[in-house]
Amino acid sequence: MAVEHVFKSVTDSTGTLDILRDIHFSLARGETAAIVGASGSGKSTLLSIIAGLDTPTRGTVRLDGDDLFAVDEDQRAALRARKIGFVFQNFQLMGNLTALENVMLPLEIAQRRDARQAARDMLERVGLSERLGHYPKVLSGGEQQRVALARAFVVQPALLLADEPTGSLDFATGEKVMALMFELNRERGATLVLVTHDRAIAARCQRRIMIEAGRVVEDDERML
């Protein structure tokens, strides 16, 4: 995955605001990176651009050699569905679907014939084989985030994006969820990019990319 000289600016009646300024870095397949910085530094905007959910003013993002912004939105959505998994702070589960149905959803969109069995296997892997038929409202926060992890990894993504994945969890539950996420990532070899304010979580990644006022001000590589 490569972020190539990405700029993002927005203009309104008060003038132009530069949100991202020449962000440039690349990650090898299976590498883990934490994007850190103060609120308003541009972290979430960068993650949205890496996902192809927002467009840069200049620059591009490449995933397995594919330029996300050289194609139209429909093609970008199809590429996202095939190659990118997401884990959000607030889980983003469908409340009218069971745990099993939530994990099946991206597989059904991809027209996978084995969607039900693959989802069952993935939920068993995250320790929720007894909760397949439960709806999000009756699951704990930790269980909901494990469903979200299962949904993200079941498509075997090339890239996993996580936005403050423990932000809605207590410390102990968050520790368990993060341990599981890193374990699943090692098993499946995805490139992992996460946004976090938690220094302990950032320290578990091979790279720490610090953003300040829309620029990369520090890029540490750790031997883990």
Side-chain angles (χ1 to χ4, degrees):
M1 190 276 292
V3 177
E4 300 180 350
H5 301 291
V6 163
F7 292 75
K8 178 68 177 181
S9 302
V10 294
T11 302
D12 60 18
S13 59
T14 63
T16 299
L17 174 64
D18 295 322
I19 301 173
L20 297 175
R21 309 178 189 192
D22 199 17
I23 304 294
H24 185 77
F25 63 89
S26 62
L27 299 171
R29 184 65 182 260
E31 193 170 5
T32 60
I35 298 174
V36 298
S39 295
S41 60
K43 304 186 306 297
S44 294
T45 299
L46 176 58
L47 202 70
S48 292
I49 289 174
I50 292 172
L53 296 169
D54 194 1
T55 57
T57 304
R58 290 162 50 194
T60 197
V61 175
R62 296 183 188 277
L63 181 57
D64 287 347
D66 294 316
D67 185 339
L68 290 183
F69 302 105
V71 297
D72 63 30
E73 177 52 40
D74 287 343
Q75 292 171 305
R76 191 155 53 246
L79 187 65
R80 193 160 49 236
R82 292 196 314 272
K83 295 191 174 184
I84 302 177
F86 298 90
V87 180
F88 301 97
Q89 176 177 338
N90 295 319
F91 320 131
Q92 300 291 329
L93 300 178
M94 301 291 289
N96 62 329
L97 301 181
T98 65
L100 180 62
E101 290 166 343
N102 266 284
V103 179
M104 287 174 61
L105 187 59
L107 298 174
E108 291 179 324
I109 291 171
Q111 300 183 332
R112 284 267 300 270
R113 294 182 179 180
D114 64 339
R116 181 171 294 272
Q117 187 58 53
R120 281 180 175 274
D121 292 345
M122 197 69 228
L123 283 165
E124 180 177 356
R125 173 64 187 82
V126 301
L128 292 176
S129 58
E130 303 301 318
R131 309 289 270 171
L132 302 182
H134 289 69
Y135 290 90
K137 66 181 179 181
V138 298
L139 298 174
S140 69
E143 287 173 332
Q144 289 185 65
Q145 197 61 300
R146 281 190 280 160
V147 173
L149 285 175
R151 182 183 59 189
F153 279 107
V154 77
V155 297
Q156 299 188 18
L159 175 65
L160 180 71
L161 303 176
D163 190 0
E164 297 286 359
T166 63
S168 297
L169 305 174
D170 62 75
F171 177 79
T173 303
E175 283 287 295
K176 292 177 182 177
V177 166
M178 289 309 301
L180 178 61
M181 187 174 79
F182 280 102
E183 187 177 323
L184 288 169
N185 199 66
R186 284 193 297 271
E187 289 176 6
R188 284 156 171 74
T191 302
L192 170 63
V193 179
L194 64 89
V195 165
T196 183
H197 286 93
D198 190 319
R199 292 184 179 182
I201 292 174
R204 298 177 70 166
C205 293
Q206 293 164 303
R207 295 268 292 279
R208 188 189 71 156
I209 300 169
M210 179 174 286
I211 295 181
E212 185 177 294
R215 297 182 185 273
V216 173
V217 295
E218 189 177 339
D219 186 351
D220 290 342
E221 186 170 354
R222 293 168 165 78
M223 298 301 293
L224 300 178

